Amino acid sequence: MQTVEDAPVIGSEPQLFIDDTIISAKRGVVRTLHPARKLEQPVLRPDRPWEGRRVYIYGSVYHDNDAGLFRMWYNTRLGRGQQERAPGLRGRTGDIVLYAESVDGVHWEKPGLGQHEFDGSRDNNILFFDKHSPTVIVDADAPPEYRFKMAAWNWDQDASGYWIAHSADGLNWREYDVNPILMRDEILESVTVARHPRTGGYFAFHRLWGEVRGHVRRLVAVATSRDFATWTSHGVCLVPDEQDDAWIQDPGQRTEFYGMAGFVYGGRFLGFLPVFDVIKDARGESGMPASVAADGSKGLHAPAVISETGAEIDQAPWDGPIAAQLVHSRDGRNWQRFEDRSPIIPRGGPGSFDAGCILCSADRPLIRGDEVWHYYTAVSTMHGGPMPPKTISIGLAKWRLDGFVSLDAGHFDGVVETVPLQLAGEGLEVNVDAGDGSLAVEVLSAAGEPLAGFAREDCQTIDADGVRQAVRWAGKVRLPMGQPLRLRFHLENAELYSFRIREAGQP
């Protein structure tokens, strides 16, 4: 018989039903992906001279509870030839890291920081020149000067590669003395970093060129660190498979992964993966620009398209739509695709601000009350559309709490039974929509026998829609302690999103 030591420990973290890891049996239920609900308009647009014509949330959004503010670190790309307007800008891409604040997370202000000059003035919200995809980690346990940690791609031609810095306030930064830290000889300018709250380890998810079935493509790779300064690369962790390429009709077409926002949610890793269907490549069928060396180290941002007069056009050579799919991992290194590959963040309808691409997104979502919020980069045309008329802005996607995936039952009894679990608390809460149906829960021994007083008929049926609904048995809310237990959920016309264990003393 399974012992307490062998059973997975389940506490206050939500247990999602992304896969069957903690499920021993289920019948009469289907696993359903729930696409995000999106605001109809962007929450941030490029409306300052130093933002050019685009803003990206290759970056982070954090809610500062002390200040009562949302804080955003985001990107723009001015392109070439902007050095006269921005002294100190060296890289050819014209990438700039910017900062914004908001009271409600929807309406944003761009404060004057006075740190860098643009068009002869320092009244702007510029934080850094020549940096890209700035992930900001807030470490409450660190010394004050290391409370904020940033990892970004550095386009500085003397020290290209990943670059890290630290700050006491998120505005005034000092770089570590170990820069560049990782992969300095490759073009990998899309990175998000996650910190596991339990182990303290850091995970960097970045873009990497690699050959798959005859095409050089964008892939997703992972690196890890214990201290944020010394990193170990573990190589590619997500590769397009044959199912991804099933749509192609012409030899030059292919599927690529544009990057990934990987984050810890409910004690496991989830990811939003931008899947890029490359329908046309202006630089040839191989997928790799002719100016890029065999190791992927040079020339990625050479002029994209050249007109008949020889002028550079603001247009990417790779064309096609991008939408975000859900991926998951138990350890942050070995990743799986969710069984339903329809978009978790879908593109908008024709004429909308995100009709063409869900290009990239913030490094992690935010929990706001009974909802999950996630900021994403929206493109109005496909990737290779000319600018103008293409617009690039930042949108906001939302789900109910834990609402990415549910197990759904219809009119007939659906049953979901877990493996033996060590329940580290005294009460059970469920996130379920049973407004048109019902949910009841049995508590079983590790061998699968119902415990006295915790059978289905003892359970007070739940017939409401709520994200934190307490389960009661004959008036009792406290679970048996000191032994591994199974939970058996009975659903009728209901959607079960997650469950969690309420710790002793927790309301």
Side-chain angles (χ1 to χ4, degrees):
M1 180 181 295
Q2 188 173 20
T3 65
V4 173
E5 289 75 18
D6 296 329
V9 177
I10 304 298
S12 60
E13 294 175 333
Q15 301 302 305
L16 279 61
F17 297 104
I18 304 294
D19 59 16
D20 287 343
T21 300
I22 62 169
I23 297 174
S24 65
K26 64 181 189 293
R27 60 176 173 80
V29 297
V30 294
R31 184 176 276 117
T32 302
L33 180 78
H34 294 274
R37 297 173 287 109
K38 301 179 297 178
L39 299 194
E40 294 183 355
Q41 297 296 327
V43 297
L44 201 78
R45 302 175 187 266
D47 57 8
R48 302 291 193 272
W50 52 88
E51 291 176 329
R53 293 179 294 201
R54 63 187 96 187
V55 287
Y56 305 89
I57 187 64
Y58 282 106
S60 297
V61 181
Y62 158 69
H63 187 263
D64 188 329
N65 293 327
D66 294 335
L69 289 174
F70 292 82
R71 308 180 66 185
M72 178 188 290
W73 295 263
Y74 66 106
N75 258 107
T76 188
R77 172 166 288 177
L78 292 180
R80 297 184 177 208
Q82 303 296 321
Q83 283 78 6
E84 289 187 5
R85 304 183 70 187
L89 185 65
R90 301 179 62 192
R92 57 188 171 185
T93 62
D95 283 5
I96 300 176
V97 173
L98 304 161
Y99 174 79
E101 295 177 342
S102 172
V103 174
D104 60 6
V106 176
H107 305 90
W108 291 84
E109 301 292 335
K110 302 171 182 179
L113 302 179
Q115 296 189 14
H116 297 279
E117 184 177 322
F118 190 90
D119 284 346
S121 171
R122 290 179 176 265
D123 185 14
N124 58 62
N125 62 330
I126 296 173
L127 278 179
F128 295 108
F129 292 132
D130 302 321
K131 304 292 187 293
H132 189 280
S133 54
T135 291
V136 174
I137 300 289
V138 182
D139 185 356
D141 298 325
E145 64 270 26
Y146 290 89
R147 181 168 180 250
F148 293 84
K149 297 178 174 66
M150 178 184 288
W153 177 260
N154 183 21
W155 285 114
D156 189 314
Q157 296 174 6
D158 294 334
S160 61
Y162 282 114
W163 173 94
I164 56 176
H166 59 89
S167 171
D169 59 7
L171 298 177
N172 299 282
W173 295 85
R174 296 184 63 183
E175 65 175 291
Y176 286 72
D177 60 6
V178 294
N179 287 312
I181 58 167
L182 191 65
M183 298 161 286
R184 69 185 69 187
D185 296 323
E186 299 170 319
I187 298 296
L188 303 164
E189 84 291 9
S190 174
V191 58
T192 64
V193 179
R195 187 186 187 211
H196 200 293
R198 192 163 52 242
T199 68
Y202 297 93
F203 293 76
F205 305 106
H206 59 85
R207 196 157 63 192
L208 182 67
W209 290 107
E211 185 171 347
V212 179
R213 294 187 299 281
H215 291 289
V216 178
R217 319 179 190 218
R218 298 171 177 90
L219 311 175
V220 177
V222 60
T224 59
S225 175
R226 291 293 305 169
D227 61 3
F228 201 70
T230 303
W231 291 81
T232 300
S233 179
H234 303 285
V236 173
C237 63
L238 280 168
V239 176
D241 60 20
E242 292 182 354
Q243 182 179 339
D244 290 309
D245 282 346
W247 63 273
I248 66 174
Q249 297 179 343
D250 298 327
Q253 296 176 337
R254 61 197 178 273
T255 298
E256 299 182 355
F257 296 157
Y258 208 75
M260 184 176 73
F263 52 92
V264 179
Y265 193 107
R268 64 183 302 158
F269 287 86
L270 299 179
F272 297 142
L273 179 71
V275 178
F276 184 13
D277 292 338
V278 182
I279 63 175
K280 183 179 179 181
D281 186 348
R283 294 182 174 182
E285 295 182 359
S286 71
M288 179 65 77
S291 58
V292 176
D295 65 354
S297 62
K298 303 292 182 183
L300 180 61
H301 291 280
V305 178
I306 303 297
S307 70
E308 293 181 357
T309 64
E312 181 180 352
I313 302 173
D314 195 355
Q315 184 175 4
W318 304 278
D319 200 15
I322 304 175
Q325 295 181 12
L326 181 65
V327 293
H328 57 98
S329 171
R330 288 284 169 176
D331 61 7
R333 292 176 57 181
N334 299 285
W335 286 81
Q336 292 80 44
R337 311 286 293 280
F338 183 66
E339 58 194 47
D340 181 351
R341 296 193 183 182
S342 58
I344 187 72
I345 308 178
R347 296 181 294 120
S352 63
F353 74 100
D354 57 357
C357 298
I358 308 298
L359 187 68
C360 53
S361 61
D363 59 292
R364 59 195 178 276
L366 301 177
I367 305 299
R368 303 304 303 158
D370 292 346
E371 293 184 321
V372 179
W373 291 15
H374 193 63
Y375 295 86
Y376 66 94
T377 302
V379 185
S380 61
T381 70
M382 292 194 298
H383 184 271
M387 181 180 290
K390 176 167 68 176
T391 64
I392 302 178
S393 55
I394 297 174
L396 175 57
K398 297 182 179 183
W399 297 261
R400 69 182 283 150
L401 186 69
D402 309 342
F404 309 119
V405 173
S406 64
L407 292 177
D408 302 349
H411 291 290
F412 300 100
D413 190 27
V415 178
V416 180
E417 184 176 314
T418 71
V419 300
L421 305 170
Q422 180 181 345
L423 305 180
E426 62 178 19
L428 173 65
E429 292 182 350
V430 291
N431 182 340
V432 64
D433 182 356
D436 296 321
S438 64
L439 169 72
V441 185
E442 292 181 271
V443 182
L444 316 175
S445 69
E449 299 296 330
L451 300 184
F454 292 90
R456 180 180 184 181
E457 55 268 22
D458 298 312
C459 184
Q460 180 178 322
T461 300
I462 292 175
D463 57 3
D465 181 5
V467 300
R468 300 181 184 89
Q469 302 193 67
V471 182
R472 294 174 171 83
W473 297 268
K476 301 189 297 289
V477 295
R478 292 193 175 185
L479 293 163
M481 305 290 288
Q483 59 179 307
L485 301 171
R486 296 176 186 261
L487 299 175
R488 182 183 289 162
F489 301 90
H490 295 268
L491 299 96
E492 181 179 347
N493 282 340
E495 300 174 353
L496 178 61
Y497 291 88
S498 65
F499 71 92
R500 70 187 77 207
I501 304 302
R502 188 182 67 252
E503 298 175 353
Q506 182 179 359

